[in-house]
Amino acid sequence: MSLMAWSGEEPLKSEQVAESVNTNPVVIRRMLLDLAQAGLVVSQTGSMGGSRLVADPAKTTLLDVYQALECGGVFSLHRQPPSRDCPVGVNIETVLGDVLQEVDSAVEHVLKNITIDDVVQRLKPCGTLTTEKNARSAKSMARSNGKVKVLGTA
């Protein structure tokens, strides 16, 4: 979403986003579906298609994104129940459940105070170095195979 905010109104293809975060475009498409269902992005198919932000990045918080992607908490308990014959195992789920709720609340408190725009603003000081590095890489790529794709530039 930060890459979309960085690129403005220009829709980004899932391949572009996937390349930026070094993952498979299918992973990005699945996430974009969740983000679209939450009303955070809109996608259009076709050669001129792609995805872009719907809401103002200055009003969209990282908590909005976190909740849209249905993150089930920072940590989780083991799938198998502990032994009820163990003095620790019999109560560990209750004790750790309370701890997990505190951790999740703390994470959500931080995320609700950071917007997508905040993230982009934090990226901008890094952008000058990245842009120069990408430009050098693009020139090198152009010499080697004629295909140039530079992401993350302003």
Side-chain angles (χ1 to χ4, degrees):
M1 291 193 60
S2 298
L3 184 60
M4 289 179 195
W6 186 291
S7 68
E9 290 294 314
E10 178 186 341
L12 296 176
K13 297 199 175 294
S14 58
E15 291 82 5
Q16 292 172 294
V17 179
E19 184 176 323
S20 174
V21 296
N22 199 25
T23 193
N24 190 298
V26 173
V27 173
I28 299 301
R29 286 185 205 110
R30 287 184 191 137
M31 294 175 83
L32 287 170
L33 285 173
D34 291 336
L35 294 168
Q37 287 177 344
L40 299 175
V41 301
V42 63
S43 299
Q44 182 177 340
T45 59
S47 62
M48 299 301 289
S51 299
R52 62 180 175 76
L53 298 180
V54 172
D56 180 357
K59 294 180 181 173
T60 304
T61 68
L62 294 183
L63 181 58
D64 297 328
V65 177
Y66 182 76
Q67 290 173 336
L69 296 175
E70 297 184 37
C71 298
V74 178
F75 299 106
S76 62
L77 297 174
H78 195 276
R79 291 182 200 151
Q80 296 296 322
S83 170
R84 297 293 170 206
D85 297 329
C86 174
V88 173
V90 74
N91 292 311
I92 195 72
E93 290 178 317
T94 303
V95 171
L96 289 181
D98 293 343
V99 172
L100 295 178
Q101 283 183 322
E102 288 180 46
V103 170
D104 289 342
S105 293
V107 167
E108 289 178 8
H109 177 74
V110 171
L111 295 178
K112 78 177 181 183
N113 291 306
I114 302 171
T115 66
I116 298 297
D117 192 52
D118 293 334
V119 173
V120 171
Q121 295 308 314
R122 292 178 187 190
L123 287 169
K124 289 203 176 187
C126 304
T128 304
L129 295 174
T130 304
T131 301
E132 291 169 3
K133 182 180 174 186
N134 284 345
R136 285 193 302 272
S137 295
K139 287 178 185 175
S140 173
M141 286 173 61
R143 285 192 294 266
S144 66
N145 65 11
K147 294 182 180 176
V148 177
K149 190 188 296 185
V150 179
L151 296 176
T153 57

